[in-house]
Amino acid sequence: MSIHIQVQTDDFNVGDEHNTLCSNNKSDGAVVTFTGLVREFSSGDNVIALELEHYPGMTEQLLQSIAEQAQTRWQLARICIIHRVGYLALGEQIVFVGVTSRHRQAAFEGAQFIMDYLKNHATFWKKEHFKDSSNWVEFKQSDKQALGKWEK
Amino acid sequence: MSIHIQVQTDDFNVGDEHNTLCSNNKSDGAVVTFTGLVREFSSGDNVIALELEHYPGMTEQLLQSIAEQAQTRWQLARICIIHRVGYLALGEQIVFVGVTSRHRQAAFEGAQFIMDYLKNHATFWKKEHFKDSSNWVEFKQSDKQALGKWEK
Amino acid sequence: MVVGSAINPNDVLSSTGKVELLFFGQLKERLKCSKLSLEITQPLSISELKLKLVSQYPHWQPWLEERELLAALNQTMSSSDEIVKAGDELAFFPPVTGG
Amino acid sequence: MVVGSAINPNDVLSSTGKVELLFFGQLKERLKCSKLSLEITQPLSISELKLKLVSQYPHWQPWLEERELLAALNQTMSSSDEIVKAGDELAFFPPVTGG
């Protein structure tokens, strides 16, 4: 079992990360990835960029702990979590979560669990930049509700 | 909205498919992919390869219809389904499902729905090759049960 | 001139003619047959057509009577009471196992 | 020789000394401060420490008293009754919004 956690300003390459998850891995039949991107429409106005900051040290620990929790609940041989910080323009990649498992159900659920927990617990803060203004993103209740399905 | 369906003997490149899903797509914040691979252990014995055949014409129609159903249920702007046929060695890629959406929940559920329906309805048949023998894979009840969560 | 000979009585009746049969997966391997043209003289249900096949190929009986066998008429999943006409494509196969 | 002067009474008591404070996100922007060393003379709960901060920086009050403000003591999420000692790292921040 392996866990790879990375918080970085640099971009990442989904193809490369996918290859790393699959290489020398003959027992896993399922790979699920999630990629989050800076998208155009948020709360009405046109977002032109995001700015992300985090709590260095604590963030990595939290992501590691979320990945370990996922491995306790599902048979996930490999987990990769990459989260970018800094100034990210429209269309840029923000976050990557990739997991491998023997079974597709576990891979889907594990990846979704990690994203739901990351959204609720990982110490990142996001600011949206518009043409003439900027504002800090508010925590979304829908993200809190998303945790409901894992609490049983 | 776009749907790309491909049944082919050639391998595919997940990085390239991911790029295609993301390029010129500024409204979708979420990309989920599933990749299925030939894995080592199946029913006890060591699989060395799979052989896949399909019903040309009908398969493509079914995959198109599954993708359309997914787009009816979730806001999935782009869907790509690639399924390989022929002789596939251990570790090779079998199937790719990639979807984009404004929201991660829709992307996760849409991709999982497509895989669950593909497993149950798409006209592919799989033969496992072992060192000294081969046999046709039996339909799995767990795949039928997986449909349950979408029938509500 | 042989114009008259181009009019095939089967075309006129349209109920007589060939059904294209396809077999996939383990069924294909057991029957040692992937494709077959079957002449029919009137529309038949899928189960009637199976009986006709068995009468021509008696050793196919155990495989064609498998409870789990599926049928697709003109590339649409079909139940055994659906009617097959000349010119149709009818496929038989075991439960699917892709992905 | 100045050996004696190397023994700092604060080290001996260990309850007196500095707490490293960190602020993130919108809070950091509002306070116009990302980092601060706060001298304490005895262990304090997080809420007592907040009061101490407000007494030193009265204009921070509305932001530090926000109901949704979170605290992490030594990089672990903590409730307001947990005890902060000299040498600890204490961070305040709004609800997280990553991913």
Side-chain angles (χ1 to χ4, degrees), chain B residues 42-43 45 47 49-51 125-130 132-138, chain C residues 26 29 97:
Chain B
S42 181
S43 34
D45 230 342
V47 171
L50 289 182
E51 206 180 326
W125 298 274
K126 202 186 265 174
K127 195 177 185 173
E128 289 175 329
H129 287 271
F130 305 96
D132 303 306
S133 64
S134 69
N135 64 257
W136 291 91
V137 174
E138 300 270 322
Chain C
Q26 188 167 29
E29 218 171 72
T97 54

Side-chain angles (χ1 to χ4, degrees), chain A residues 129-141:
Chain A
H129 288 272
F130 305 96
K131 194 164 162 284
D132 304 307
S133 64
S134 68
N135 65 258
W136 290 91
V137 174
E138 299 271 322
F139 177 78
K140 283 205 293 267
Q141 278 306 315

Side-chain angles (χ1 to χ4, degrees), chain D residues 78-89:
Chain D
S78 300
S79 58
S80 56
D81 56 356
E82 283 184 62
I83 302 301
V84 185
K85 298 183 306 298
D88 283 347
E89 174 178 299

Side-chain angles (χ1 to χ4, degrees), chain D:
Chain D
M1 294 258 295
V2 284
V3 171
S5 74
I7 299 167
N8 183 327
N10 290 354
D11 290 346
V12 176
L13 285 169
S14 95
S15 58
T16 304
K18 288 191 187 306
V19 175
E20 292 302 316
L21 295 176
L22 300 170
F23 306 101
F24 292 102
Q26 189 166 27
L27 180 68
K28 174 180 84 174
E29 219 171 73
R30 282 170 166 168
L31 304 187
K32 295 182 180 62
C33 177
S34 64
K35 222 171 163 171
L36 179 70
S37 280
L38 185 74
E39 185 82 26
I40 58 170
T41 53
Q42 59 181 40
L44 295 173
S45 71
I46 291 177
S47 38
E48 287 167 340
L49 190 141
K50 266 194 209 178
L51 291 176
K52 187 176 163 71
L53 264 181
V54 167
S55 74
Q56 288 189 26
Y57 306 91
H59 58 294
W60 286 8
Q61 185 171 18
W63 317 127
L64 288 177
E65 286 180 355
E66 273 217 349
R67 206 168 49 86
E68 293 204 315
L69 199 68
L70 302 172
L73 182 57
N74 298 320
Q75 306 196 353
T76 300
M77 296 304 299
S78 300
S79 58
S80 56
D81 56 356
E82 283 184 62
I83 302 301
V84 185
K85 298 183 306 298
D88 283 347
E89 174 178 299
L90 178 63
F92 290 108
F93 42 80
V96 302
T97 53

Side-chain angles (χ1 to χ4, degrees), chain B residues 52-58 61-62 83 94-95 115 118-127 136-139, chain C residues 22-29 68 71-77 89-99:
Chain B
L52 269 142
E53 71 168 61
H54 79 122
Y55 185 169
M58 183 163 176
Q61 276 183 51
L62 283 165
H83 203 298
I94 307 167
V95 59
M115 274 310 301
L118 185 156
K119 284 265 181 186
N120 278 279
H121 295 302
T123 41
F124 293 99
W125 298 274
K126 202 186 265 174
K127 195 177 185 173
W136 291 91
V137 174
E138 300 270 322
F139 177 77
Chain C
L22 299 169
F23 306 101
F24 292 102
Q26 188 167 29
L27 180 69
K28 175 180 83 174
E29 218 171 72
E68 295 204 313
L73 182 58
N74 298 320
Q75 305 196 355
T76 300
M77 295 305 298
E89 175 177 298
L90 177 64
F92 290 109
F93 43 79
V96 301
T97 54

